Structure formats: structure tokens, C-alpha cells
Amino acid sequence: MTHTVLRIDASARRDGSESRALTQRIVDRLEPQSIIQRDLAVAIPTIDADWLAANWTKEEERSDKQRATLALSDSLIEEIKAADTLVIGTPIYNFGIPANLKAWIDQIARAGITFRYTEAGPEGVMTGKRAIIAIASGGTQVGSDVDFASGYLRHVLGFIGITNVQVVAADQLMIDADASHAKANAALEDLAA
């Protein structure tokens, strides 16, 4: 049993979303004691010059405005810290992840907080966690040369220290929905709670 799951839904659709349905099934299988939910259909602001300036100002030197600018980022990172397992549900839009999921990544990938620079290069500090990525696509085959979503998410999660990453895909739904659902069901059965 997983203690705490951070559930992230990136689909713009709330009703009829394949990735949301798949994410729910994964969360049900994990039977967590608690769930933190982050619905990215409610837009996450993209980083801008003010955000960058606040982020690169030493914490003790930040103005109140800079602290306010980073408040959402700080909250998103606390959600990750509180979770044992991240379950990220995302569609593939135009061969990649939705912009709202990219905005979330930009908010949580912070030097000195979720990763640090060492003599050997960047090192993730959010270790000891598990991530399960639930991906739905109409035509893009997960793992193919034109899938720029699953590899990117694995890389970003590894960059912040989460290297135990599994993918459950309902891909190519517009080509063969039955086969896609069967493959996703088999992957779900293989997930350890």
C-alpha cells in the first residue's frame, strides 16, 4: 500500500478524458492512505522574468513580492515532497505533453531545491519516490520515434531524482481502441500496489 499519492491530471478535458480515467484506475489500484490532487486544467502560470529573478535571488534576500511570486512553485514542490508516489496522467498533444504540464515542470525544477549542481553535474534530490505516468494518445505510439512525451517525462523526473518510473499507456486509441485498452489493462495488472 502506498501511503500518499500525488495525482496530477494534465488533460484539458475533465469529462471523457482517457488519461484521467486511466489515472483514476491507477490510484484505485494503489489504495493510498491519502491523495493530493493537482488538476492542471486549472492553468499553472508559466515562468517569466519576475519568476526567474525571484528564483535566482538568495532566499534570505528575497523581497515580499519575490516570495509571493514563488509561492505557487513552493507549494507544488511541497506536494511532491509529501508524496511517496506521483501518478501523472497526461494526453499526448501533437507528439508531446500539454503546455500546462510543461508549466508545472518549469515551476518544480528548481536548482538547490529539487536538484543541485555538483562537480559531477546536476543531481536530483527528490529521491526515494516512485512515479507512474498514465499516457493516452489518439495516434502516437508510446515509445516510438515521434513520442516526445514519455521520454521527456522520464528524463525530467530522473533529473529531480525520481528514477523509479513506470508508464501505463492507452496509446493509438484512434487506430485500435480495443487493443489499446487491453494493453493498458495488462500494464495495470503488472503494477505493484
Side-chain angles (χ1 to χ4, degrees), residues 83-177:
D84 303 297
T85 301
L86 284 67
V87 179
I88 302 172
T90 184
I92 292 179
Y93 291 161
N94 302 312
F95 311 106
I97 62 170
N100 54 357
L101 184 53
K102 176 63 167 72
W104 178 83
I105 290 166
D106 288 343
Q107 292 278 351
I108 61 97
R110 288 179 55 195
I113 299 175
T114 57
F115 70 95
R116 63 179 165 240
Y117 290 107
T118 70
E119 290 181 6
E123 177 182 77
V125 300
M126 306 297 273
T127 58
K129 297 179 184 301
R130 173 186 187 193
I132 303 168
I133 304 168
I135 298 181
S137 78
T140 302
Q141 181 181 7
V142 170
S144 71
D145 289 344
V146 295
D147 165 20
F148 300 104
S150 65
Y152 173 72
L153 289 171
R154 280 183 188 275
H155 179 79
V156 166
L157 291 166
F159 183 74
I160 66 169
I162 303 171
T163 57
N164 180 2
V165 180
Q166 296 169 276
V167 175
V168 177
D171 57 352
Q172 297 186 301
L173 286 159
M174 300 302 287
I175 296 167
D176 188 343

Side-chain angles (χ1 to χ4, degrees), residues 1 3-4 14 22 32 43 52 54 58 60 64 66 78 97 102 107-108 111 128 134 141 160-161 171:
M1 177 185 292
H3 299 291
T4 301
R14 287 199 170 102
L22 192 54
L52 290 170
K58 291 181 181 176
E60 62 276 8
D64 289 343
Q66 287 177 320
E78 287 304 315
I97 62 170
K102 176 63 167 72
Q107 292 278 351
I108 61 97
Q141 181 181 7
I160 66 169
D171 57 352

